[in-house]
Amino acid sequence: MSDNSDLHKRRMAAVPRGVGNSLAVYAERAHNAELWDIEGRRYIDFASGIAVLNTGHVHPHVKAAMAAQLEKFTHGCFQVTPYESYIALAEALNELAPGPTPKKTIFLSTGAEAVENAIKIARYATRRSAIIAFSGGFHGRTLACIALTGKVQPYKAGFGPMLPEVFHVPFPMAFHGVTPEDSLAAIDQLFKADVDPARVAAIIIEPVQGEGGFYIAPPEFLRALRALCDKHGILMIADEIQTGFARTGRMFAIEHAGVEPDLMTVAKSIAGGVPLSAVIGKAEIMDAPVVGGLGGTFAGSPLGCAAGLAVLEVIEKEKLNSRAEQLGAKLTARLRQLQAKFPAIGEVRALGMMVAIELVKNRRADMPDADLTRAVVQAAGRRGLILLSCGVYSNVIRILAPLTITEALLDEGLAILEQSLAEAGAGATTAVA
Ligand SMILES: Cc1ncc(COP(=O)(O)O)c(C=O)c1O
């Protein structure tokens, strides 16, 4: 039987290095918040395969819905022989999307594809072309998406030219001294120096930046953006791909601000691990593109839609919004205790169960510690905890454990995180260089 190192050798020979791996741990099976590798070692999963498993690995209800669908058919293509589950899931999401305006939903397969479609719809509906996005934002790896993504390495460098007429402004980050007023002033400056607001089709924003480092957009900032969009006829796109489906204690994170976006992109936890994504938006805007202008062969697969309907039932039945708030509060309190013990923890950030620690030297926001972050992730991996890093400076550890995790497992994982921080040297006070 193969072990992790054999498989890693084969992987290095057969798969391009451009697809990174955070751990050389090869999965064999998983259940809820636990995963076992091919050597039989058990791990607690604080990564959820990058925010995909809010309902845990192989939730029995989601599994049963997929199994039932497998007995019927696996593909027909919604554009060729449509099926009810696509419509039922669209109806459910239209109801759940924030705001009173009637909604429509189109399904795709990946997050990037949802973002691409949101941009296409926004351009078609407004007959405008420019897009404003945020520094540090992440919207996917396809060609249009890397233009929107606000981080050059490793996402943009070497892959150009980028989509034209994409402009970036700073995202509010209190820890780094960027206020909402700074961000709004940057947009104002953009309208003076670079682009006529009448050319701007959309502003795309993650209510909480995911890959960028779990920075939380203050509610008043999101409301100010909404007002700015209304003033200039610009569409507001909320990218909820990482924040959606109860992760932050609301079905969608933008609800914390009481804002109705024009379009919303969702993916990741929508279908418990089956590739599925969607654009949910105001019906009139969604109906702008001509017949045949939107779609895709695998878009909104029967398996994905069946799983998606089951995921919504699990979120409701198991009250995962309140569970996210409850577990998030517990986790945050514990991380604040660790912050008192480990000087390297510069900030603890949380919205529901979207929780992160930012690691710095000398308690200084301008001295990110990417080496320490890498070392903590590796130490945790050796001790049986799957962690993920993120951040523009690669110095943030994010916790995205399933919302269905037991408190006992959460505690066990936190104890491993504490040991890993100690092993990697987070307790040492670094001398000022
Ligand atoms: C906010 C956000 N948008 C878009 C994407 C891209 O999604 P995918 O990797 O499914 O294409 C991601 C993925 O991490 C994301 O976090």
Side-chain angles (χ1 to χ4, degrees):
M1 207 189 72
S2 299
D3 61 18
N4 284 317
S5 84
D6 282 345
L7 263 191
H8 203 58
K9 273 190 213 116
R10 282 171 54 198
R11 175 256 183 267
M12 293 308 280
V15 181
R17 63 177 188 155
V19 187
N21 298 115
S22 51
L23 294 174
V25 166
Y26 287 81
E28 213 236 347
R29 67 193 165 89
H31 172 70
N32 198 6
E34 290 168 290
L35 179 145
W36 287 263
D37 73 7
I38 50 162
E39 296 175 14
R41 281 200 66 199
R42 165 193 174 260
Y43 298 80
I44 297 169
D45 191 353
F46 273 13
S48 290
I50 325 187
V52 170
L53 301 162
N54 289 358
T55 51
H57 287 277
V58 205
H59 190 290
H61 187 60
V62 181
K63 181 181 169 180
M66 285 166 61
Q69 182 59 46
L70 275 174
E71 291 297 327
K72 295 179 192 159
F73 63 99
T74 55
H75 183 71
C77 183
F78 191 72
Q79 287 141 259
V80 182
T81 48
Y83 32 90
E84 186 181 354
S85 56
Y86 187 118
I87 299 163
L89 188 57
E91 287 168 345
L93 292 175
N94 294 340
E95 274 304 305
L96 287 167
T101 318
K103 305 289 191 310
K104 286 195 175 183
T105 292
I106 177 177
F107 292 105
L108 297 310
S109 303
T110 67
E113 205 185 353
V115 171
E116 294 264 348
N117 276 274
I119 300 301
K120 279 173 63 180
I121 294 165
R123 282 184 160 185
Y124 207 105
T126 60
R127 304 282 168 174
R128 302 173 178 190
S129 48
I131 311 287
I132 296 176
F134 288 84
S135 305
F138 182 85
H139 300 288
R141 286 186 169 85
T142 56
L143 267 175
C145 290
I146 59 172
L148 303 172
T149 287
K151 186 176 173 187
V152 170
Q153 288 292 355
Y155 305 123
K156 295 160 96 118
F159 296 120
M162 296 291 131
L163 193 73
E165 291 192 281
V166 174
F167 303 91
H168 287 92
V169 290
F171 191 90
M173 296 170 158
F175 187 58
H176 293 278
V178 184
T179 65
E181 292 72 33
D182 293 333
S183 299
L184 292 169
I187 298 177
D188 209 37
Q189 179 61 21
L190 204 63
F191 290 163
K192 287 198 179 74
D194 291 302
V195 62
D196 178 356
R199 278 192 71 80
V200 179
I203 297 182
I204 183 164
I205 184 163
E206 298 158 87
V208 182
Q209 279 196 336
E211 305 299 305
F214 281 30
Y215 297 101
I216 302 159
E220 68 276 13
F221 177 68
L222 292 169
R223 288 194 284 269
L225 270 191
R226 178 69 272 179
L228 190 85
C229 286
D230 290 342
K231 181 174 167 197
H232 296 289
I234 297 169
L235 301 185
M236 182 176 187
I237 306 174
D239 184 344
E240 293 266 2
I241 287 169
Q242 193 151 157
T243 48
F245 300 98
R247 171 57 52 187
T248 70
R250 301 283 187 280
M251 187 59 89
F252 303 108
I254 193 111
E255 292 172 41
H256 290 279
V259 161
E260 179 177 17
D262 299 296
L263 298 169
M264 210 163 67
T265 51
V266 296
K268 291 200 186 277
S269 274
I270 186 174
V274 184
L276 184 72
S277 66
V279 183
I280 311 163
K282 293 182 178 168
E284 209 180 318
I285 296 168
M286 294 293 290
D287 268 333
V290 284
V291 174
L294 304 175
T297 307
F298 292 113
S301 74
L303 218 49
C305 291
L309 285 164
V311 161
L312 292 182
E313 284 161 8
V314 172
I315 291 175
E316 194 185 342
K317 187 149 174 263
E318 299 188 15
K319 299 185 174 51
L320 293 188
N321 278 314
S322 43
R323 190 149 174 81
E325 292 207 315
Q326 176 208 331
L327 291 179
K330 176 181 169 136
L331 188 54
T332 310
R334 186 81 183 86
L335 291 173
R336 290 206 202 291
Q337 285 170 359
L338 293 184
Q339 187 180 21
K341 178 170 172 189
F342 296 107
I345 301 179
E347 191 175 51
V348 178
R349 289 189 287 276
L351 192 62
M353 258 298 260
M354 193 159 179
V355 183
I357 51 175
E358 180 155 352
L359 301 182
V360 295
K361 296 173 185 160
N362 302 319
R363 290 206 183 275
R364 284 182 47 172
D366 61 347
M367 296 184 77
D369 203 338
D371 290 339
L372 175 66
T373 308
R374 231 181 336 268
V376 173
V377 171
Q378 294 305 317
R382 286 191 297 275
R383 290 168 181 272
L385 174 68
I386 303 171
L387 283 181
L388 269 183
S389 62
C390 63
V392 181
Y393 307 105
S394 309
N395 69 324
V396 177
I397 290 177
R398 53 178 151 173
I399 299 180
L400 287 165
L403 305 176
T404 48
I405 191 171
T406 61
E407 295 213 20
L409 264 189
L410 189 68
D411 289 338
E412 196 183 332
L414 277 167
I416 298 177
L417 174 62
E418 180 171 1
Q419 292 156 10
S420 309
L421 283 161
E423 182 190 325
T429 25
T430 323
V432 180

